Amino acid sequence: MTTSGRTQVAIVGAGPAGVLLSHLLAADGIESVVLETRSEEYVAGRIRAGILEQSTVDLLTEVGLGERLAREGDQHHGIYLQWPGERHHLDFVDLVGRSVWVYGQTEVQKDLVLAAHARQQQFVYEISDTALHDLESDRPWVTWTDADGVRHRLDADVVVGCDGSFGPSRGAVPDEVRRTWGRTYPYSWLGILADVAPSTDELIYAWHPDGFALHSMRSSTVSRFYLQVPNDTDLADWSDDRIWDGLAARLGHGLDGWELATGTITDRSVLPMRSFVQQPMRHGRLFLAGDAAHLVPPTGAKGLNLAVADVALLAPALAALLKGDPALADAYSDAALRRVWRCTHFSWWMTTMLHSNDDPFDRELQLSQLRWVASSRAGAAGLAENYAGLPIGF
């Protein structure tokens, strides 16, 4: 048996990109249904990005989603760049007049879902065998199977793929149409969450011969750390003591009296490092946003912010398209990709500057680059402008 339904916009993926898009569309009177493979609890609990650009914060505030962010988020004016024996602060506000906020993706998701439930947004969770059909027509449709084995069909005017790199939307663009670019880096991140107050007021990005390290945070009592590790790393090989010892060495425990506080590790994972771009981000009545179209290594803190920028461009384009004006929709892919490639380059640049390898020539080049950024106002301003985020309409 197959059940049928209809909406204006079928959104595949209930992460921040998909739910924010539904919020923006609803504000313009556009109906949508959000489809998701995982459970609502799983999506809400995914530990991902923690840094919001100025433009992301401005947008969330403008659309009524910034109240808790303003109350509980932690505004940062810059970051620290470090290499053995030296630590330098880059003040983004002084350099470019923009800042960033520490506010985890899990918190953004909570705010989005709370607002979605308040407006009675329709979600369908825990589905399988999702497939997209007739995308080159003006009446595309989506099918899926629910947890009880019932097959469903949803007709729409537009389908939007916000379902990440493993969902069906990316592959629904025909091979003869799409072009892809990618890079897999020769290292990964071992990331941990720990119940310990941060040992720093702002993030520390540390180059070290043993590998990169990052000291981030999620709140005044929870810290987030990353260590550069080989791609084939087994978590079983990394005891708590080995993790803390590695972080202390790479983050400069003892540097000018600075000490790394330790605590109970509550979560750990290994994160591969990849760059990927697929274009176009539109095919017929299918539009892609977020990780469905692009991936960046997390060094530049761009993944979630890129997804927000995508849907900020896409929502008015879809509203206009459904009202008979296709101009913004026709321009969406090119407009989004300008920012995607800028952020892809910045993320690659930060990654290659900060992650060490065994080549002594490369190491000297990295240290030279770090010294230039830390000592040149022009170099520091370039990093600050990209890290704090360009305007969404860039």
Side-chain angles (χ1 to χ4, degrees), residues 260-301:
L260 174 68
T262 64
T264 301
I265 297 174
T266 59
D267 183 85
R268 69 189 76 201
S269 59
V270 174
L271 176 66
M273 308 284 281
R274 291 184 60 209
S275 293
F276 175 86
V277 179
Q278 175 172 308
Q279 66 181 60
M281 290 173 61
R282 177 200 181 171
H283 176 67
R285 285 296 179 102
L286 169 66
F287 296 80
L288 302 180
D291 288 358
H294 44 74
L295 297 169
V296 290
T299 326

Coordinates of all heavy atoms in Angstrom, one line a residue, residues 260-301:
L260 N 47.0 23.5 31.3 CA 45.8 22.8 30.7 C 45.1 22.0 31.8 O 45.6 21.1 32.4 CB 46.2 21.8 29.6 CG 45.1 21.0 29.0 CD1 44.1 21.9 28.2 CD2 45.7 19.9 28.1
A261 N 43.8 22.4 32.1 CA 43.0 21.7 33.1 C 42.5 20.4 32.4 O 42.1 20.5 31.2 CB 41.9 22.5 33.6
T262 N 42.3 19.3 33.1 CA 41.8 18.1 32.6 C 40.5 17.7 33.3 O 40.3 18.2 34.4 CB 42.8 17.0 32.7 OG1 43.1 16.7 34.1 CG2 44.1 17.3 32.0
G263 N 39.8 16.8 32.7 CA 38.5 16.4 33.3 C 38.0 15.1 32.7 O 38.7 14.4 32.0
T264 N 36.8 14.7 33.0 CA 36.2 13.5 32.6 C 35.9 13.6 31.1 O 35.1 14.5 30.7 CB 35.0 13.1 33.4 OG1 35.3 13.0 34.7 CG2 34.4 11.8 32.9
I265 N 36.3 12.7 30.3 CA 36.0 12.7 28.9 C 34.7 12.0 28.7 O 34.5 10.8 29.1 CB 37.1 12.0 28.0 CG1 38.4 12.7 28.2 CG2 36.7 11.8 26.6 CD1 39.6 12.0 27.5
T266 N 33.7 12.7 28.1 CA 32.4 12.2 27.9 C 32.0 11.7 26.5 O 31.0 11.0 26.3 CB 31.3 13.2 28.3 OG1 31.5 14.4 27.5 CG2 31.5 13.6 29.8
D267 N 32.8 12.1 25.5 CA 32.6 11.7 24.2 C 33.9 11.7 23.4 O 34.7 12.6 23.7 CB 31.6 12.6 23.5 CG 31.2 12.2 22.1 OD1 30.4 11.3 21.9 OD2 31.9 12.7 21.1
R268 N 34.1 10.8 22.5 CA 35.3 10.8 21.7 C 35.0 10.2 20.3 O 34.1 9.3 20.2 CB 36.5 10.0 22.4 CG 36.3 8.5 22.5 CD 37.4 7.9 23.3 NE 37.1 8.2 24.7 CZ 38.0 8.1 25.7 NH1 39.3 7.9 25.4 NH2 37.7 8.4 26.9
S269 N 35.6 10.7 19.3 CA 35.4 10.2 17.9 C 36.6 10.6 17.1 O 37.3 11.5 17.4 CB 34.1 10.7 17.4 OG 34.1 12.1 17.3
V270 N 36.7 9.9 15.9 CA 37.7 10.3 14.9 C 37.0 10.9 13.7 O 36.0 10.3 13.2 CB 38.5 9.1 14.5 CG1 39.5 9.4 13.4 CG2 39.3 8.5 15.7
L271 N 37.4 12.0 13.3 CA 36.7 12.8 12.2 C 37.7 12.9 11.0 O 38.7 13.5 11.1 CB 36.4 14.2 12.7 CG 35.8 15.1 11.7 CD1 34.4 14.7 11.2 CD2 35.7 16.6 12.2
P272 N 37.3 12.2 9.9 CA 38.1 12.4 8.7 C 38.1 13.8 8.2 O 37.2 14.5 8.4 CB 37.5 11.4 7.7 CG 36.6 10.5 8.5 CD 36.2 11.3 9.7
M273 N 39.1 14.2 7.4 CA 39.2 15.5 6.9 C 39.1 15.5 5.4 O 39.9 14.9 4.7 CB 40.6 16.1 7.3 CG 40.9 16.0 8.7 SD 40.0 17.3 9.7 CE 41.0 18.7 9.3
R274 N 38.0 16.1 4.8 CA 37.8 16.1 3.4 C 37.4 17.5 2.9 O 36.7 18.3 3.6 CB 36.7 15.1 3.1 CG 37.0 13.7 3.3 CD 35.8 12.8 2.8 NE 35.5 13.1 1.4 CZ 34.3 13.0 0.8 NH1 33.3 12.6 1.5 NH2 34.2 13.2 -0.5
S275 N 37.7 17.8 1.7 CA 37.1 18.9 0.9 C 36.3 18.3 -0.2 O 36.8 17.4 -0.9 CB 38.2 19.8 0.4 OG 38.9 20.5 1.5
F276 N 35.2 18.8 -0.5 CA 34.3 18.3 -1.6 C 33.4 19.4 -2.1 O 32.8 20.1 -1.3 CB 33.5 17.1 -1.2 CG 32.6 16.6 -2.3 CD1 33.0 15.7 -3.2 CD2 31.3 17.0 -2.3 CE1 32.2 15.2 -4.2 CE2 30.4 16.6 -3.3 CZ 30.8 15.7 -4.2
V277 N 33.3 19.6 -3.4 CA 32.3 20.5 -4.0 C 31.7 19.9 -5.2 O 32.4 19.3 -6.0 CB 33.0 21.9 -4.4 CG1 31.9 22.8 -5.1 CG2 33.7 22.6 -3.3
Q278 N 30.4 19.9 -5.2 CA 29.6 19.5 -6.4 C 28.8 20.6 -7.0 O 28.2 21.4 -6.2 CB 28.7 18.3 -6.0 CG 27.8 17.9 -7.2 CD 27.0 16.6 -6.9 OE1 27.5 15.6 -6.4 NE2 25.6 16.7 -7.1
Q279 N 28.9 20.7 -8.3 CA 28.1 21.8 -8.9 C 27.5 21.2 -10.2 O 28.1 20.2 -10.8 CB 28.9 23.0 -9.2 CG 30.0 22.9 -10.2 CD 30.8 24.2 -10.3 OE1 31.3 24.8 -9.4 NE2 30.8 24.8 -11.6
P280 N 26.3 21.7 -10.6 CA 25.6 22.8 -10.0 C 24.9 22.3 -8.8 O 24.7 21.2 -8.5 CB 24.6 23.1 -11.1 CG 24.3 21.8 -11.8 CD 25.7 21.1 -11.8
M281 N 24.4 23.3 -8.0 CA 23.6 23.1 -6.8 C 22.1 23.1 -7.1 O 21.3 23.1 -6.2 CB 24.0 24.1 -5.7 CG 25.4 23.9 -5.2 SD 26.0 25.1 -4.0 CE 24.8 25.0 -2.7
R282 N 21.8 23.1 -8.4 CA 20.4 22.9 -8.8 C 20.3 22.1 -10.0 O 21.2 22.2 -10.9 CB 19.8 24.3 -9.1 CG 18.3 24.2 -9.6 CD 17.9 25.4 -10.4 NE 16.5 25.2 -10.8 CZ 15.7 26.1 -11.4 NH1 16.2 27.3 -11.6 NH2 14.5 25.9 -11.7
H283 N 19.3 21.2 -10.1 CA 19.0 20.4 -11.3 C 17.5 20.3 -11.4 O 16.8 19.7 -10.6 CB 19.6 19.0 -11.2 CG 19.3 18.2 -12.4 ND1 19.7 18.5 -13.7 CD2 18.4 17.1 -12.5 CE1 19.2 17.6 -14.5 NE2 18.4 16.7 -13.8
G284 N 17.0 21.0 -12.4 CA 15.5 21.0 -12.6 C 14.8 21.6 -11.3 O 15.1 22.8 -10.9
R285 N 14.0 20.9 -10.7 CA 13.3 21.3 -9.5 C 13.9 20.8 -8.2 O 13.3 20.8 -7.1 CB 11.8 21.0 -9.5 CG 11.0 21.8 -10.5 CD 10.9 23.3 -10.0 NE 10.2 24.2 -10.9 CZ 8.9 24.6 -10.7 NH1 8.3 24.2 -9.6 NH2 8.3 25.4 -11.5
L286 N 15.2 20.3 -8.3 CA 16.0 19.9 -7.2 C 17.0 20.9 -6.9 O 17.8 21.3 -7.7 CB 16.7 18.5 -7.4 CG 17.7 18.1 -6.4 CD1 17.0 17.8 -5.0 CD2 18.5 16.9 -6.9
F287 N 17.1 21.3 -5.6 CA 18.1 22.3 -5.1 C 18.8 21.6 -4.0 O 18.2 21.0 -3.1 CB 17.4 23.6 -4.6 CG 16.7 24.4 -5.7 CD1 15.4 24.0 -6.1 CD2 17.3 25.5 -6.3 CE1 14.7 24.7 -7.1 CE2 16.6 26.2 -7.3 CZ 15.4 25.8 -7.7
L288 N 20.2 21.8 -4.0 CA 21.0 21.2 -2.9 C 21.5 22.4 -2.0 O 21.7 23.5 -2.4 CB 22.2 20.6 -3.5 CG 22.0 19.4 -4.5 CD1 23.3 18.9 -5.0 CD2 21.1 18.3 -3.9
A289 N 21.6 22.0 -0.7 CA 22.1 23.0 0.3 C 22.9 22.2 1.3 O 22.7 21.0 1.6 CB 21.0 23.7 0.9
G290 N 23.9 22.9 1.9 CA 24.7 22.3 2.9 C 25.6 21.1 2.4 O 26.1 21.1 1.3
D291 N 25.8 20.1 3.3 CA 26.8 19.1 3.0 C 26.3 18.2 1.8 O 27.1 17.4 1.3 CB 26.9 18.1 4.2 CG 27.7 18.8 5.3 OD1 28.2 19.9 5.1 OD2 27.9 18.2 6.4
A292 N 25.1 18.3 1.3 CA 24.7 17.6 0.1 C 25.5 18.1 -1.1 O 25.6 17.4 -2.1 CB 23.2 17.8 -0.1
A293 N 26.0 19.3 -1.0 CA 26.7 19.9 -2.1 C 28.1 20.2 -1.9 O 28.9 20.3 -2.8 CB 26.0 21.3 -2.5
H294 N 28.5 20.2 -0.6 CA 29.9 20.6 -0.3 C 30.3 20.2 1.1 O 29.5 20.1 2.0 CB 30.2 22.1 -0.5 CG 29.1 22.9 0.1 ND1 28.9 23.1 1.5 CD2 28.0 23.6 -0.5 CE1 27.9 23.9 1.7 NE2 27.3 24.2 0.5
L295 N 31.6 19.8 1.3 CA 32.2 19.5 2.6 C 33.5 20.3 2.7 O 34.2 20.5 1.7 CB 32.5 18.0 2.7 CG 31.3 17.0 2.6 CD1 31.9 15.6 2.5 CD2 30.5 17.2 3.9
V296 N 33.8 20.7 3.9 CA 35.0 21.4 4.2 C 35.6 20.8 5.5 O 34.9 20.4 6.3 CB 34.9 22.9 4.4 CG1 34.5 23.6 3.1 CG2 33.8 23.2 5.4
P297 N 37.0 20.7 5.5 CA 37.5 20.3 6.8 C 37.2 21.3 7.9 O 37.0 22.5 7.6 CB 39.1 20.3 6.5 CG 39.2 21.2 5.3 CD 38.0 21.1 4.5
P298 N 37.0 20.9 9.1 CA 36.5 21.8 10.2 C 37.5 22.9 10.7 O 37.1 23.7 11.5 CB 36.2 20.8 11.3 CG 37.1 19.7 11.1 CD 37.2 19.5 9.6
T299 N 38.7 22.9 10.2 CA 39.7 23.8 10.7 C 39.2 25.3 10.5 O 39.6 26.1 11.4 CB 41.0 23.7 9.9 OG1 41.2 22.3 9.6 CG2 42.2 24.1 10.7
G300 N 38.5 25.6 9.5 CA 38.1 27.0 9.3 C 36.7 27.3 9.9 O 36.2 28.4 9.7
A301 N 36.1 26.3 10.5 CA 34.8 26.5 11.2 C 33.7 27.0 10.2 O 33.0 28.0 10.5 CB 34.9 27.5 12.4

